Amino acid sequence: MKPKLRKFIDSNIPVIENDLIFQVEKVKGPSILKKSMLYSLNAGGKKIRPLLVLATLSTFKKDTKIGIEVASVIEMIHTYSLIHDDLPSMDNDDIRRGLPTNHKVFGESVSILAGNALNTLVFGILADLKHANPQQKIKIISLLSETAGVQGMLGGQLLDIESEEKRITVSELEEIHNNKTGQLLRFSIESGAILANATPQQVSLLRNYAKHIGLAFQIKDDILDIEGSTEELGKTAGKDIISLKNTYPSLLSLEGAKDKLHEHYRLALEALAQLDEDTILLSEIANYIVMRDK
Amino acid sequence: MKPKLRKFIDSNIPVIENDLIFQVEKVKGPSILKKSMLYSLNAGGKKIRPLLVLATLSTFKKDTKIGIEVASVIEMIHTYSLIHDDLPSMDNDDIRRGLPTNHKVFGESVSILAGNALNTLVFGILADLKHANPQQKIKIISLLSETAGVQGMLGGQLLDIESEEKRITVSELEEIHNNKTGQLLRFSIESGAILANATPQQVSLLRNYAKHIGLAFQIKDDILDIEGSTEELGKTAGKDIISLKNTYPSLLSLEGAKDKLHEHYRLALEALAQLDEDTILLSEIANYIVMRDK
């Protein structure tokens, strides 16, 4: 990892982790439900999405602290999607980030409620943002409802389920990932841009950057599933092959997938090059996504 | 049912039903997911919650049409909670409102996503309300996140699950229902009051009314489970007894539950009597909740 990003991560991850705990702790309600929410929020993870919110603010020379709550929000949405994804009736996973999955610890019914609770809590946090005016709050709420909903993440999850039984094309696979994972990355970047009062043209360039790092992220995940070890990944390696899942390597060959990865990396950097700001941090994040080994 | 309420229901239910379809149809996304959402939204039901939004507006002499989207929102939240409640890992119900439950038709994974999709969609609808200013929108979004979340409905559902294995007291049962069902009724009334620019004192009286009709509603449900038939109820009658569930009749006897029902009815009417508006519609709704036979 490059030095500027390393420093950015080291100074911001503890702030995000503290805020995640703070946001859940301050809610009144049954302790077992809050424990289940915190269990998955505290289970590690790369925190790419919250870091993108803060890195976007930083790109526009804004104090990252005005984006902390929004950073927590997107990590909560991502976490709820993982809790539900791991359920026996969905992907039926026992291990996530090297730990037993939420329903293995708390049972299915509590896990379903904990996911729902995160999905519901985030909109209250956004309505209550300290460093945003009412118009900004409403824009961000609307953006989250769109990117995490039927038009975004949930639609992508459904397409993913439907694709399980059949061979699909690369462009169908791209549509799944643009929705399932790409839209939340778009939210991360655009919510940061809204808080920073970016212009529509700047938002459009950043949306393009988000799209390409999103696809790069997924392709890299697919490659790591083949080349990585279970220990490094914190989840079962080779699972995609065993389950005959549609992946970039399975559709394009491993070499083809690596070419595609670098093409998206190049396109992400091209989008940044058109932005008249210091984009070194965002380009280092793109680099990390492509180079990481877990 | 009394005549003013009958007329109000007959003129407003079709408007609510149309708006529910309209709100889902206009979202772009996989058709199977939208079908699953619409299946449960179109499955009938008394529509008490949306009617309360509109009846509150009507009480303050406002046009009910300014509340239609909020009415749809609360019906969507209620519907998502039923879809998830019926899942095999929750209550494991096969029949709801006389029809196969959502997961029986679409499968568990789609039902989980459809519930999530409704929970996510509603906040986008609220951010986009046509007849509310930004401050009103933010107040209503914040209220929904609270009443449908850990502090409200989801917390109540969790307490309900935890109570299944043991005998609880009447006040514990009351806490479950105040959260599990009462908070959404509170949302219905208070969101209407926010749209009508009601004073804090008026909101406080209406919150009291909401609390008592909420408890009355639940007690009446428990009584109907004993006295009603499966055909009338559209769900399996006597299920509470078979499952040894904690209910008002089981804790207070049938007569004791009926006394409690009428006490809450009286307290709901007392709250209305202190409100300096024409509350005939809200009192007829309270009357309907107590007198209904399904």
Side-chain angles (χ1 to χ4, degrees):
Chain A
M1 189 180 295
K2 299 203 171 175
K4 200 175 158 77
L5 179 58
R6 179 81 270 161
K7 198 177 153 215
F8 188 77
I9 286 180
D10 288 345
S11 64
N12 282 298
I13 291 239
V15 184
I16 296 164
E17 288 177 340
N18 283 338
D19 190 65
L20 285 168
I21 296 169
F22 171 74
Q23 298 292 349
V24 174
E25 291 287 7
K26 76 175 176 185
V27 179
K28 280 186 207 149
S31 64
I32 190 77
L33 190 51
K34 289 161 68 173
K35 268 186 199 159
S36 171
M37 296 159 80
L38 284 169
Y39 174 81
S40 292
L41 290 173
N42 286 336
K46 291 177 280 290
K47 306 259 184 323
I48 287 283
R49 294 158 194 79
L51 287 168
L52 280 170
V53 178
L54 306 185
T56 304
L57 280 167
S58 183
T59 300
F60 291 104
K61 295 176 188 60
K62 302 285 177 186
D63 192 338
T64 54
K65 80 161 185 255
I66 71 172
I68 291 296
E69 293 105 327
V70 179
S72 290
V73 158
I74 192 60
E75 187 66 10
M76 287 182 184
I77 288 284
H78 174 58
T79 302
Y80 117 70
S81 80
L82 298 182
I83 295 173
H84 282 191
D85 249 358
D86 288 337
L87 288 168
S89 55
M90 307 283 278
D91 284 354
N92 193 20
D93 269 313
D94 293 351
I95 301 284
R96 161 81 64 185
R97 295 169 178 169
L99 293 170
T101 46
N102 199 290
H103 66 272
K104 282 285 169 190
V105 179
F106 296 92
E108 276 185 69
S109 54
V110 174
S111 290
I112 292 172
L113 295 179
N116 292 346
L118 290 168
N119 192 16
T120 306
L121 175 60
V122 295
F123 291 98
I125 295 172
L126 293 178
D128 208 33
L129 290 180
K130 277 186 286 295
H131 305 284
N133 63 40
Q135 280 75 13
Q136 286 172 312
K137 290 180 189 179
I138 288 167
K139 268 193 193 175
I140 294 173
I141 288 166
S142 190
L143 181 68
L144 183 61
S145 175
E146 183 191 331
T147 55
V150 176
Q151 290 167 268
M153 181 183 77
L154 291 166
Q157 288 177 304
L158 189 117
L159 292 176
D160 196 20
I161 291 169
E162 279 189 331
S163 75
E164 273 167 21
E165 306 294 312
K166 57 185 185 199
R167 239 0 179 193
I168 59 173
T169 65
V170 174
S171 80
E172 286 170 325
L173 187 63
E174 206 150 282
E175 195 196 346
I176 292 172
H177 293 310
N178 268 332
N179 287 300
K180 192 180 170 189
T181 56
Q183 290 294 313
L184 289 200
L185 296 177
R186 183 190 144 204
F187 174 86
S188 301
I189 305 268
E190 276 195 51
S191 62
I194 291 167
L195 288 174
N197 291 308
T199 66
Q201 207 205 340
Q202 289 170 325
V203 171
S204 165
L205 289 168
L206 286 170
R207 192 179 295 166
N208 218 358
Y209 162 79
K211 182 184 163 183
H212 292 297
I213 63 165
L215 289 168
F217 191 89
Q218 188 57 51
I219 298 169
K220 182 71 184 185
D221 256 7
D222 287 353
I223 293 170
L224 284 171
D225 183 75
I226 294 172
E227 296 190 335
S229 71
T230 300
E231 191 186 353
E232 269 174 348
L233 297 178
K235 59 185 176 185
T236 317
K239 202 184 166 194
D240 295 348
I241 300 174
I242 296 160
S243 63
L244 295 175
K245 209 174 147 185
N246 290 293
T247 68
Y248 286 91
S250 74
L251 297 182
L252 294 173
S253 83
L254 190 55
E255 281 316 299
K258 286 181 181 177
D259 288 348
K260 197 100 185 157
L261 173 67
H262 285 93
E263 187 189 330
H264 286 297
Y265 179 46
R266 187 178 58 74
L267 290 168
L269 295 186
E270 265 183 25
L272 289 183
Q274 295 172 66
L275 201 70
D276 205 13
E277 303 286 338
D278 176 4
T279 57
I280 179 79
L281 199 53
L282 292 177
S283 77
E284 287 192 10
I285 290 177
N287 178 272
Y288 164 70
I289 285 171
V290 173
M291 300 303 175
R292 71 202 159 98
D293 54 15
K294 63 180 178 181
Chain B
M1 189 180 295
K2 300 203 172 173
K4 200 173 157 77
L5 179 59
R6 179 79 272 162
K7 198 177 153 214
F8 188 78
I9 287 180
D10 288 345
S11 64
N12 282 298
I13 291 238
V15 183
I16 296 165
E17 287 176 341
N18 283 339
D19 191 65
L20 285 168
I21 296 168
F22 171 74
Q23 298 291 350
V24 174
E25 291 287 6
K26 76 175 176 185
V27 179
K28 279 186 208 150
S31 64
I32 190 76
L33 190 50
K34 289 162 68 174
K35 268 187 198 156
S36 171
M37 295 158 80
L38 285 169
Y39 174 80
S40 292
L41 289 172
N42 287 336
K46 291 178 280 289
K47 306 257 183 327
I48 288 283
R49 294 159 194 79
L51 287 168
L52 280 169
V53 178
L54 306 186
T56 304
L57 280 167
S58 183
T59 300
F60 291 104
K61 296 178 187 59
K62 302 284 177 187
D63 192 337
T64 53
K65 79 161 185 255
I66 71 172
I68 291 296
E69 294 104 328
V70 179
S72 290
V73 158
I74 192 60
E75 187 65 10
M76 288 183 185
I77 288 285
H78 175 57
T79 302
Y80 117 70
S81 80
L82 299 182
I83 295 173
H84 282 192
D85 250 359
D86 288 336
L87 288 168
S89 55
M90 308 284 277
D91 284 354
N92 194 21
D93 270 313
D94 294 350
I95 300 283
R96 161 81 64 184
R97 295 170 178 168
L99 293 170
T101 47
N102 198 290
H103 65 274
K104 282 284 169 190
V105 179
F106 296 93
E108 276 185 69
S109 54
V110 174
S111 290
I112 292 173
L113 295 178
N116 292 346
L118 290 168
N119 192 16
T120 305
L121 175 60
V122 294
F123 291 99
I125 295 171
L126 293 178
D128 208 33
L129 290 180
K130 276 185 288 294
H131 304 284
N133 62 40
Q135 281 74 13
Q136 286 172 313
K137 290 180 188 178
I138 288 167
K139 268 194 194 175
I140 294 174
I141 288 166
S142 190
L143 181 68
L144 183 61
S145 175
E146 183 192 332
T147 55
V150 176
Q151 290 168 268
M153 182 184 76
L154 292 166
Q157 288 177 303
L158 189 118
L159 293 176
D160 196 20
I161 291 169
E162 280 188 330
S163 76
E164 273 167 20
E165 306 294 313
K166 56 185 186 201
R167 242 350 177 205
I168 59 174
T169 65
V170 173
S171 80
E172 286 170 325
L173 187 62
E174 205 151 283
E175 195 195 345
I176 292 172
H177 293 310
N178 268 333
N179 287 299
K180 192 179 169 187
T181 55
Q183 290 294 313
L184 289 200
L185 296 177
R186 182 190 144 205
F187 174 85
S188 301
I189 305 268
E190 276 194 52
S191 62
I194 290 167
L195 288 174
N197 291 308
T199 66
Q201 207 206 340
Q202 289 170 325
V203 170
S204 165
L205 289 169
L206 286 169
R207 193 179 295 165
N208 219 358
Y209 162 79
K211 182 183 163 183
H212 291 296
I213 62 165
L215 289 168
F217 190 88
Q218 189 57 50
I219 298 169
K220 182 72 184 185
D221 256 7
D222 288 353
I223 293 170
L224 284 171
D225 183 74
I226 295 172
E227 297 190 335
S229 71
T230 299
E231 192 186 352
E232 269 174 347
L233 297 178
K235 59 184 176 187
T236 316
K239 201 184 168 199
D240 295 349
I241 300 173
I242 295 161
S243 63
L244 295 175
K245 210 174 147 185
N246 290 293
T247 67
Y248 285 90
S250 73
L251 297 183
L252 293 173
S253 84
L254 189 56
E255 281 316 298
K258 286 182 179 176
D259 288 348
K260 197 98 185 156
L261 173 67
H262 285 94
E263 187 189 331
H264 286 298
Y265 178 45
R266 188 178 58 74
L267 290 168
L269 296 186
E270 266 184 24
L272 290 183
Q274 295 172 66
L275 202 70
D276 204 13
E277 304 287 338
D278 177 3
T279 57
I280 179 79
L281 199 53
L282 292 177
S283 78
E284 287 191 10
I285 290 177
N287 178 272
Y288 164 70
I289 286 171
V290 173
M291 299 304 174
R292 71 202 160 100
D293 55 15
K294 62 179 178 182

